[in-house]
Amino acid sequence: MKILLVQPASPPGALAGDDWFVFEPLALEYLAAGVPDDDVRILDMRLDGDLQTVLETFQPELVGATAYTVHVNTVKRLCETVKQWDAKAVTVVGGHHATVAREDFVEPAIDLTVVGEGVVPFREIVSRLKRRAALEGISGVAVQGTDSFVPLEESVTADIDALPLPARRLTAACRSRYFCDWLRPLASIRTSKGCPYRCKFCALWKLTCGKYVKREPRNVVAELATIEEENVFFADDESLLDSRRMQALAGLIRASGISKRYFLYGRSDTIARNPDLLQAWKEIGLDRVFVGLEFFRDEDLEYVGKGSKLSDNEKAIGILQDLEIDIYASMILRPEFEEHHFKELRRYCRAMRLDYPTFSVLTPLPGTDLYEEVKHDLITDNYDYFDFIHTLLPTRLSLKEFYKHYAWLINTVLPPRKRISFLRRFPAKDLGSILGRSIRVQRRVRNAWKDYETATEDLA
Ligand code: B12
Ligand code: SF4
């Protein structure tokens, strides 16, 4: 069967960061690996936007698309395009948004919606389509126009080691273009799934019922050995949680002689408790850690149920800085922020000597406890703006002022010396484009308030 799997681009109105990172479409590579006997193509629309040509030249019988919340409208349009091209082509949507809010994909142009881990149900869909068998009754699959949806229990404890290795050969032509900042080319690998914490702005813990599902270290090493790229990102919800397992993994990587640079997620309290683990990972190539520091006040950490404290953040920062591991520091702006909060946050980032602080707005995503708490207060429900930059909640400052301070923060958080060292991380030939992109992002953030003139019409 001819199958086209599509990774959508972010919608033009969103500020979703496609300029700064494009990661390999791991979910689609997994799905493709599940149907090895079929003719599968992956179209990554962040790099190549020409769906129409691919439809006409490849003539797929089945088109699958993946979507986060920010992609919902884009993917609906994409399925409409497919149906306009050939009403007989079957369309299927899966991914994080389908998992937390499948009702959003009840659309005539979408035939099937897959909830949760996709490899097994997707394989079953393909097999039934080939046999012309009925599609009802597959665990985790909703069939358009019917009530058929069998809730899936097994996904909670899914053995992610039992899945085939992602079909990376299908992205061979694009692989040199997957990157994050200066880490280029960059591959991704999933080593675990889920999280036992309970942050109220995050739905991931719910998807595994609070379980942390892990792969065996030896299987991770076996997959790493198949990856050609020097830079590798761990596409986990949280990578370091099980320190014994991560020590074992570091030991196996060292013994295997694999030499790469790693980028992974780590909670600050895990890092604070495990300096030896970080030391071991530094020795085998840990280059960068994404840490959700989130706030500069304990009261905010408590509000979102983060379960860690400023003291953990500060200890983790110290450990990583001593080891010279980069900190990708994720900070959150609350819609309630006034001018002095922006100033305090800037002061905090500077006092902590953060080289790479990033700022997003506290975002109530469908599927989270935060969403349930504030869903009646949203100032827009246009999913194109669920990009973590557009506030979805009313701000205390006027929107214009809020975004003025937001842009100021991005623009001035790094002192000039740090800005120069930041730019030095990139190859000299890219500096012009990096500067251009930075200016563009600041300008768009500063002007984000104007987007609400159209966005609020959607709520009316
Ligand atoms: C790696 C990652 C990234 C990477 C990009 C990955 C990529 N491919 O582009 C980076 C770091 C760049 C990133 C950025 C962002 N991310 Co992110 N990211 C993740 C993370 C940690 C892992 C995703 C992954 O690769 N998992 C491994 C694959 C194999 O699993 P999977 O995606 O779940 O796929 C399986 C199933 O979902 C299903 N499936 C998936 N697609 C399809 C399609 C079909 C047809 C079928 C049948 C099945 C199916 O089958 C797959 C295989 O079993 C997830 C957390 C998570 N658990 O999802 C967050 C997550 C997806 N990210 C999230 C967010 C919010 C973002 C940002 C908006 C954050 C920001 N402030 O900028 C940006 C958006 C970037 C963009 N424009 O797309 C949220 C999305 C929430 C939401 N409701 O939309 C998540 C869930 C994290 C969270 N805490 O909530 N992200
Ligand atoms: S934000 Fe991170 S630590 Fe919190 S529940 Fe989600 S994955 Fe776990």
Side-chain angles (χ1 to χ4, degrees):
M1 171 170 254
K2 285 189 169 195
I3 304 170
L4 179 65
L5 296 174
V6 186
Q7 168 71 49
S10 301
L15 280 154
D18 289 3
D19 270 358
W20 296 101
F21 44 71
V22 180
F23 287 54
E24 69 176 295
L26 197 60
L28 303 183
E29 294 166 348
Y30 263 109
L31 296 179
V35 286
D37 300 331
D38 293 278
D39 185 3
V40 187
R41 269 201 210 172
I42 291 181
L43 172 65
D44 192 331
M45 294 191 71
R46 299 166 301 181
L47 304 174
D48 170 8
D50 195 354
L51 173 65
Q52 200 66 39
T53 301
V54 177
L55 291 175
E56 276 155 24
T57 53
F58 181 52
Q59 304 266 325
E61 299 153 89
L62 172 62
V63 178
T66 187
Y68 298 168
T69 300
V70 75
H71 303 123
V72 170
N73 298 329
T74 308
V75 161
K76 284 184 190 170
R77 279 194 300 272
L78 189 147
C79 291
E80 280 160 17
T81 306
V82 172
K83 289 290 187 186
Q84 277 157 15
W85 165 73
D86 181 355
K88 289 194 298 304
V90 177
T91 53
V92 48
V93 174
H96 186 82
H97 191 85
T99 300
V100 296
R102 71 184 163 89
E103 61 284 0
D104 283 331
F105 292 113
V106 176
E107 291 284 328
I110 300 173
D111 296 313
L112 303 162
T113 309
V114 174
V115 170
E117 281 298 320
V119 175
V120 174
F122 190 67
R123 181 189 288 147
E124 183 60 22
I125 291 169
V126 172
S127 153
R128 290 196 190 187
L129 285 172
K130 288 199 287 196
R131 287 182 278 126
R132 298 182 191 283
L135 292 165
E136 286 81 4
I138 307 174
S139 181
V141 180
V143 183
Q144 206 63 262
T146 75
D147 291 334
S148 168
F149 179 72
V150 185
L152 71 177
E153 268 85 48
E154 66 270 30
S155 163
V156 167
T157 48
D159 176 5
I160 52 173
D161 257 338
L163 299 175
L165 296 190
R168 293 193 173 84
R169 67 190 159 76
L170 293 179
T171 47
C174 299
R175 296 197 69 80
S176 62
R177 292 194 282 162
Y178 293 128
F179 76 103
C180 178
D181 300 318
W182 49 86
L183 296 174
R184 180 194 290 262
L186 175 70
S188 297
I189 183 171
R190 178 167 69 172
T191 84
S192 68
K193 175 181 170 154
C195 175
Y197 290 89
R198 296 282 185 276
C199 302
K200 76 159 136 181
F201 57 79
C202 174
L204 297 177
W205 55 272
K206 296 188 182 190
L207 304 187
T208 56
C209 294
K211 289 197 185 110
Y212 189 53
V213 182
K214 302 166 273 191
R215 290 178 66 191
E216 283 292 331
R218 66 188 144 80
N219 293 337
V220 175
V221 176
E223 184 174 340
L224 272 176
T226 67
I227 292 178
E228 286 178 12
E229 288 80 0
E230 189 199 354
N231 302 299
V232 178
F233 174 73
F234 282 22
D236 301 328
D237 301 339
E238 155 64 77
S239 300
L240 294 171
L241 265 180
D242 182 340
S243 53
R244 229 190 270 169
R245 169 180 169 272
M246 286 305 275
Q247 275 288 9
L249 180 56
L252 286 181
I253 292 176
R254 185 196 301 269
S256 72
I258 292 173
S259 167
K260 296 195 183 290
R261 297 164 73 189
Y262 303 101
F263 176 18
L264 46 74
Y265 290 98
R267 275 179 62 95
S268 70
D269 47 1
T270 316
I271 296 167
R273 276 195 305 275
N274 296 290
D276 294 350
L277 178 63
L278 274 298
Q279 167 81 45
W281 271 84
K282 171 70 188 179
E283 286 166 14
I284 58 151
L286 179 59
D287 202 53
R288 203 172 191 202
V289 180
F290 185 120
V291 193
L293 298 177
E294 327 294 21
F295 297 107
F296 63 99
R297 300 183 305 190
D298 272 327
E299 65 199 78
D300 296 321
L301 287 168
E302 221 163 281
Y303 168 67
V304 298
K306 186 75 194 181
S308 53
K309 295 201 166 298
L310 274 196
S311 52
D312 296 312
N313 287 355
E314 287 160 19
K315 199 163 169 203
I317 292 169
I319 290 169
L320 295 171
Q321 286 175 339
D322 286 350
L323 289 168
E324 295 183 1
I325 296 172
D326 273 341
I327 307 173
Y328 186 115
S330 170
M331 308 296 300
I332 299 179
L333 312 176
R334 290 190 63 172
E336 296 86 352
F337 271 17
E338 297 182 58
E339 183 175 353
H340 68 94
H341 295 112
F342 287 94
K343 289 190 169 152
E344 280 161 42
L345 176 52
R346 175 179 179 271
R347 208 174 303 129
Y348 182 80
C349 294
R350 285 190 167 203
M352 291 293 114
R353 295 183 293 112
L354 296 176
D355 293 329
Y356 198 100
T358 64
F359 304 98
S360 51
V361 178
L362 183 63
T363 298
L365 290 170
T368 63
D369 288 351
L370 179 64
Y371 184 81
E372 291 309 314
E373 183 181 307
V374 301
K375 64 183 176 194
H376 300 297
D377 303 328
L378 300 190
I379 58 172
T380 174
D381 60 359
N382 182 343
Y383 283 141
D384 287 359
Y385 294 127
F386 282 49
D387 59 2
F388 284 63
I389 303 285
H390 288 90
T391 180
L392 307 178
L393 291 167
T395 47
R396 191 166 294 162
L397 292 170
S398 69
L399 284 169
K400 190 172 179 183
E401 283 289 297
F402 185 86
Y403 282 101
K404 184 180 98 183
H405 295 304
Y406 193 163
W408 168 82
L409 179 64
I410 298 174
N411 192 21
T412 66
V413 66
L414 292 185
R417 193 177 37 82
K418 276 204 189 296
R419 240 192 277 183
I420 292 167
S421 358
F422 168 75
L423 289 172
R424 283 215 181 110
R425 312 293 302 264
F426 295 89
K429 66 174 179 37
D430 292 345
L431 283 185
S433 89
I434 300 294
L435 284 169
R437 272 187 268 164
S438 307
I439 293 166
R440 235 182 7 255
V441 167
Q442 276 158 36
R443 198 175 298 144
R444 286 202 61 192
V445 170
R446 198 186 169 89
N447 288 322
W449 63 276
K450 292 182 186 165
D451 297 333
Y452 293 84
E453 287 165 13
T454 47
T456 41
E457 281 164 21
D458 301 324
L459 269 188

